[in-house]
Amino acid sequence: MTLFNGELPFYPRPRYAAGINVPLLVVIVVFLALAASFLLILPGIRGHSRWFWCVRILLSLFIGAEIVAVNFSGEWYVGQVKANTSYKAFTSAQVSADIGLQVGLGGVNITLTGTPMYQLNETIDYNEKFSWSFGDKYTEEYEEALQKGLPNPVLYLAEKFTPASPCGLYQQYRLAGHYASATLWVAFCFWLLSNALLSMPAPLYGGLSLLLTGAFVFFAIFSFASISSVPLCPIHLGSEILTTHYGAAFWTTLATGFLCLFLGGMVVCLHYTHPSALRTFLDLSDGHVVETRNLMPQIYSNPLHLPQKCKPATPDIQLAVLS
């Protein structure tokens, strides 16, 4: 195909290099700023509690950042193949390229990178995203891609996820993404609650909140895996077949779920077995920790008080003290 003033004929304006995921970048920057702020004040904490606070805060920030970040990541279900395939419609020209597919909770991302990148008198470097989140219309984005004249491999993969496609991938992955995202936000709320309770004299309930955080993270994993376990339609790109597998976001979320269950279970166990060690780790003083114990009343009577008519003396005072 020919160029006009250095622009592709189907594009109304020049193409720019594929950008980064802005919401994901914002999440990473915010949590890194929180971690950096804590590290700056860490030298002001005295004694061994400094390292207890360091481990506690960094672990908590990692869990919170991961739960929020994977909502905007496209690395839940990924695939990549290198193939010689047709490049544009109405032409027999072929290119050698790496073709990538990333399925996230809110849409699908398709990449096309030439090997080498400069072929057919142009730079082949595409990164196109098609969203199916609430308020986004996948079909309209696909029609805009057709009007732009995107390369055939990009359009071919995007067509597989349209609502009208016989593969049925749109309904499967859209519902799986919605349920997984919703349960992850519930897990984030319980993560906030656990941080508040672990900073108060209620470590037991903080541990239970961590357990619930891990439980909802696993609910998100199961909701996505139950749908994505259905095999994709065969995706042929030239003579090659694109195969997919679970990506980094899926495995990181799974590891975070295990971490939440482990930390929550450890807090609950220490509450009943070694409460003093738990108080030391959480930097809670004995006077601020509320413990539930059996209260046995102790009776005090005045031995000099003589009962009338040899009746048993009634106690002057009843005091209930903590053993």
Side-chain angles (χ1 to χ4, degrees), residues 43-116:
I45 302 177
R46 298 180 179 179
H48 296 291
S49 60
R50 173 189 307 172
W51 306 112
F52 294 150
W53 272 97
C54 181
V55 174
R56 173 185 168 187
I57 296 299
L58 292 182
L59 277 177
S60 178
L61 287 178
F62 169 77
I63 293 174
E66 197 280 335
I67 292 176
V68 178
V70 294
N71 275 281
F72 307 102
S73 174
E75 296 289 327
W76 281 80
Y77 209 57
V78 298
Q80 187 170 1
V81 67
K82 182 177 181 180
N84 293 321
T85 180
S86 61
Y87 181 53
K88 289 282 188 177
F90 310 111
T91 179
S92 59
Q94 290 195 344
V95 295
S96 175
D98 288 326
I99 305 164
L101 174 68
Q102 296 88 33
V103 180
L105 302 183
V108 59
N109 200 77
I110 303 171
T111 59
L112 177 69
T113 305
T115 53

Side-chain angles (χ1 to χ4, degrees), residues 7 13 66 145 160 170 198 227 233 284 305:
E7 301 178 15
R13 53 184 177 274
E66 197 280 335
K160 292 289 186 180
Y170 176 82
L198 289 175
I227 301 299
C233 293
L284 297 174
H305 177 72

